Amino acid sequence: MNEQKLWQSALNEIELQLSKANFITWFKNTYIASKKGGVVHVAVPNAFSREWLENKYNKYIFKALRDKDGNIKEIKYIIENKKPVAQTAVSEYKQEEVEETQLQFEELQIDKETNLNPKYTFESFVVGPSNELAHAAAVSVSKKPGLMYNPLFIYGGVGLGKTHLLQAVGNKFASKDKSVVYLTSERFTSEFISAIQHQGIEGFKDKYRKINVLIIDDIQFIAGKEQTQEEFFHTFNALHEQNKQVILSSDRPPKAIPTLEERLRSRFEGGMLVDIGYPDYETRVAILKTKIKNKNVSLEEDVINYIATSVQRNIRELEGALNLIIASSKLNNNEMDLERAKKILSHLTHKPQKPITYKKIVQTVSNFYEIKEKELLGKNRKREIVVPRQVAMFLMRKEMKSSYPFIGERFGGKDHTTVIHACEKIEKEMRENNDREEELDFIKQQLYSD
């Protein structure tokens, strides 16, 4: 399959999962510029489109391309204004239809100064047992910025509503005419690098130290970037000393972020730490009904219940499944019943779980703790290596049901008593230490993810 046909085929699949306005806006004038060695370069018309595709739709794009070509390992986005060789499915829409749908597309209303999307509000956030503490803390901060919880640090898995909550706080401040900026840690880093390159560091400092509220999403990606951490540390201190509010999110608590400077970790832990867990069934149903109401459509109760049962761990995927059902119903001009819904979502319910292997555990644990696999399997007795090794042994025992001698063999021929000690130690730490339990939960999420 050539590049043009590959991209066309991928677009056809992506289109089914997004609204028409969304699809047209972000995928118009995109194409595959090159494909070599498992790396696909997707051409986009501008930097804003590149950032949006990387942050919002990379998962859809990667899956669609991998479904067509299993050798694809990575996607990179490049800015290229050349016309593609042939028209794509996106460009087949009439221009007036594009303009009409763009006007209806809420995400285009993002404020250029604050980076906030007005659709994210407290009113549209569905509260349940998994997120009520985080929601309560966010509401408190919105009422008394810089005084109640500073910083507010919200953590939890992918697609559980952290971004919604962060932006809801930001929008509340913006409505009170308080200067607020929301951005990802990656964007903070790229702006900092650009400031260094163009001798604009003073302007960069002034921009982020004069605002009332700074909101950073996915702060974990700042780890390992020494200069960025240094600058963020001083920015944080400058804001904190003036009782200006800082709000952060991460996929894990501060203690579980490898290569994060200790002084930053202590700053983060000095405020309010709250986590967002997986939504229970009732919350998932409530979320679906809220979104259905906002989309001004109707679905049978049994279809809603089926979607809530099929997607249990990710609110974004929950909305994706709902969009798929709605799109299919509109395309075929028919009422959606339970049997049709089951067929459409069969890829979710009948997706076989990949077997967990010894290699997968070693790779996942090594990536999490940012150490080399050969160090994990070797004889290094440093604590920063020993603990991850014990975690890997524990996971092999619990997730693979491997015997103690088998595990010992895989870790350089260690005696089975060493493995028993490692498993018992980690099990004890999980009972006594919430941080260790959270680490293991996160590693298991990565272990079973695609």
Side-chain angles (χ1 to χ4, degrees), residues 302-313:
D302 57 355
V303 174
I304 296 172
N305 295 339
Y306 183 74
I307 300 172
T309 303
S310 301
V311 184
Q312 301 180 10
R313 298 167 72 89

Side-chain angles (χ1 to χ4, degrees), residues 231-349:
E231 177 55 35
F232 184 73
F233 175 77
H234 294 301
T235 299
F236 180 98
N237 283 345
L239 293 172
H240 197 270
E241 286 168 4
Q242 300 175 66
N243 289 326
K244 293 182 175 182
Q245 185 68 49
V246 178
I247 306 170
L248 309 166
S249 85
S250 173
D251 61 2
R252 62 189 87 175
K255 283 186 178 178
I257 303 176
T259 66
L260 179 67
E261 288 185 5
E262 189 58 39
R263 58 181 178 171
L264 275 178
R265 183 177 285 113
S266 67
R267 293 293 191 283
F268 296 166
E269 291 174 346
M272 177 71 164
L273 296 180
V274 286
D275 71 317
I276 294 182
Y278 298 120
D280 59 17
Y281 173 77
E282 290 78 12
T283 304
R284 296 196 300 274
V285 170
I287 290 169
L288 287 170
K289 288 185 175 181
T290 300
K291 293 188 179 298
I292 287 169
K293 183 180 179 182
N294 291 339
K295 294 174 187 291
N296 197 28
V297 296
S298 61
L299 280 180
E300 296 293 330
E301 197 74 21
D302 57 355
V303 174
I304 296 172
N305 295 339
Y306 183 74
I307 300 172
T309 303
S310 301
V311 184
Q312 301 180 10
R313 298 167 72 89
N314 190 310
I315 294 171
R316 285 195 200 122
E317 289 180 6
L318 192 71
E319 185 172 13
L322 175 63
N323 288 339
L324 203 55
I325 292 289
I326 293 172
S328 178
S329 179
K330 287 183 177 179
L331 284 170
N332 296 308
N333 294 316
N334 56 29
E335 292 292 323
M336 182 60 60
D337 58 28
L338 183 58
E339 288 308 309
R340 286 197 186 94
K342 285 182 177 180
K343 288 180 182 178
I344 293 167
L345 300 182
S346 60
H347 66 290
L348 296 176
T349 54

Side-chain angles (χ1 to χ4, degrees), residues 80-93:
E80 196 169 281
N81 292 315
K82 297 176 186 176
K83 290 286 184 183
V85 177
Q87 286 189 327
T88 66
V90 187
S91 60
E92 290 171 5
Y93 289 105

Side-chain angles (χ1 to χ4, degrees), residues 410-433:
R410 293 297 179 275
F411 286 86
K414 287 183 171 52
D415 189 81
H416 73 282
T417 57
T418 302
V419 180
I420 292 172
H421 169 73
C423 293
E424 289 178 347
K425 182 174 180 291
I426 296 300
E427 193 140 23
K428 181 182 178 185
E429 286 187 1
M430 287 179 67
R431 289 195 303 268
E432 300 175 352
N433 186 335

